[in-house]
Amino acid sequence: MTPVSKKLYTDDVSLLVVLIDTNPYFWSTSNQGLPYSKFLSHLIAFLNSILLLNQLNQVVVIATGINSCGHIYDSSLAPPNKRAETLLQKLEDFVLKDEELSAEDSVDGIKSSLLSGSLSLALCYIQRVFRSGTLHPQPRILCLHGSPDGPGQYVAVMNSIFSAQRSMLPIDSCVIGAQHSAFLQQASHITSGIYAKPQQLDGLFQYLSTLFATDLHSRSFIQLHKSVGVDFRASCFCHKSTIDMGYICSVCLSIFCKPHKKCSTCGSTFGQPQATVSSTSNLKRKAVDT
């Protein structure tokens, strides 16, 4: 990974990588009053506003499905007069291909989007931009997410978050679902990004243009939106469920909700709990005394 000290940025030129949630199960069951078509209208208006702020700004869109994820739009490659048509056509093709994939390929059989995969694609693209020359735009990631978190993706998502932190890449998060996302709360908190959950989704464009259109240089002069709290709970490796307290392998730092004799990740053998050891020794002493 390119050392941070060697990166040179222009002050007001931005590279915005947008991750959009295309999970059909979420959009078909969403009761938030925001149809998928209306969401796309807000999205296209926001992307156009980013490109209008500076003619050198660049926008990249990555679609996040339930079985796959992929690049669908790059403003530096698309014709300026056909931006909306190109984005919508590529997005439709992606959704059709994603639905054709077997449902068995979805993460743990639950209907959550592949957030870990789209974050990895965004980081790889940004690293490629870093290596293209000595002068690059200011990169940042914006997650437009509505699906519930997939506990099975916990490790992959956290790895992506720490990679973004090391590269000084802020991850902004706009949650459009009914519940808050613990993954995105941690991502925005760790990378010094912005986390928001709009209350009125009819005005989604106003939220996007007010909170997330500001470039990184200008953010040092304005008062940014701050989230109320962050859910730092982890997910266990055995049942993929969120836990408040658990057991950690001292070798590989895997998390478990119940004690195990052997680590399922690295194969290390665990010792007996202290309470069990002490009770066993007491029973032996009683047997000897009798």
Side-chain angles (χ1 to χ4, degrees):
M1 188 174 294
T2 306
V4 177
S5 59
K6 293 184 179 180
K7 298 173 185 175
L8 300 175
Y9 302 106
T10 53
D11 287 342
D12 56 349
V13 179
S14 299
L15 166 61
L16 179 63
V17 182
V18 183
L19 314 183
I20 59 174
D21 192 351
T22 62
N23 189 339
Y25 296 98
F26 164 72
W27 289 108
S28 61
T29 59
S30 177
N31 297 322
Q32 302 300 306
L34 181 67
Y36 184 60
S37 58
K38 190 71 174 178
F39 165 75
L40 292 179
S41 299
H42 289 293
L43 174 65
I44 292 175
F46 171 68
L47 297 181
N48 286 332
S49 65
I50 294 294
L51 296 175
L52 287 173
L53 289 175
N54 192 313
Q55 63 178 353
L56 298 179
N57 282 352
Q58 182 182 354
V59 171
V60 175
V61 179
I62 297 178
T64 308
I66 56 175
N67 301 311
S68 62
C69 52
H71 295 89
I72 61 172
Y73 179 77
D74 189 339
S75 61
S76 63
L77 303 177
N81 57 341
K82 294 184 178 180
R83 290 170 179 166
E85 293 82 353
T86 303
L87 174 60
L88 294 177
Q89 183 61 45
K90 292 290 185 65
L91 184 59
E92 182 180 358
D93 295 342
F94 171 83
V95 172
L96 292 176
K97 292 180 180 179
D98 187 58
E99 291 179 349
E100 290 176 357
L101 297 177
S102 173
E104 297 178 357
D105 295 335
S106 61
V107 179
D108 292 335
I110 61 178
K111 306 307 179 183
S112 59
S113 300
L114 290 177
L115 178 62
S116 59
S118 57
L119 282 175
S120 300
L121 284 178
L123 291 172
C124 290
Y125 182 88
I126 292 174
Q127 289 299 322
R128 187 174 64 183
V129 172
F130 284 157
R131 292 178 170 87
S132 63
T134 58
L135 189 64
H136 349 85
Q138 291 186 345
R140 66 184 190 272
I141 299 174
L142 172 61
C143 299
L144 298 175
H145 205 69
S147 302
D149 293 337
Q153 304 180 63
Y154 174 75
V155 177
V157 170
M158 294 306 298
N159 286 338
S160 299
I161 293 174
F162 292 133
S163 297
Q165 181 192 34
R166 184 177 183 273
S167 300
M168 300 179 63
L169 299 175
I171 299 179
D172 298 332
S173 306
C174 181
V175 177
I176 55 179
Q179 299 177 349
H180 285 277
S181 171
F183 287 171
L184 293 180
Q185 282 182 335
Q186 296 183 45
S188 298
H189 177 77
I190 294 174
T191 62
S192 301
I194 301 174
Y195 176 89
K197 186 178 182 300
Q199 300 299 320
Q200 300 293 332
L201 291 179
D202 290 339
L204 180 61
F205 171 73
Q206 283 78 7
Y207 281 97
L208 295 176
S209 58
T210 303
L211 298 177
F212 304 107
T214 310
D215 59 82
L216 299 184
H217 179 70
S218 301
R219 290 186 182 187
S220 58
F221 304 102
I222 62 177
Q223 186 174 359
L224 300 176
H225 172 78
K226 295 182 180 180
S227 57
V228 178
V230 180
D231 187 358
F232 287 106
R233 291 183 298 172
S235 299
C236 67
F237 286 32
C238 44
H239 301 93
K240 312 300 182 184
S241 57
T242 304
I243 59 175
D244 296 315
M245 297 182 64
Y247 301 85
I248 301 179
C249 174
S250 59
V251 178
C252 66
L253 302 181
S254 297
I255 304 171
F256 303 98
C257 59
K258 296 180 180 180
H260 293 264
K261 295 182 179 179
K262 188 177 183 180
C263 178
S264 58
T265 303
C266 65
S268 300
T269 303
F270 300 144
Q272 286 184 311
Q274 190 65 29
T276 305
V277 174
S278 59
S279 61
T280 303
S281 60
N282 291 335
L283 290 176
K284 290 182 178 180
R285 288 180 180 178
K286 291 181 179 180
V288 172
D289 295 338
T290 57

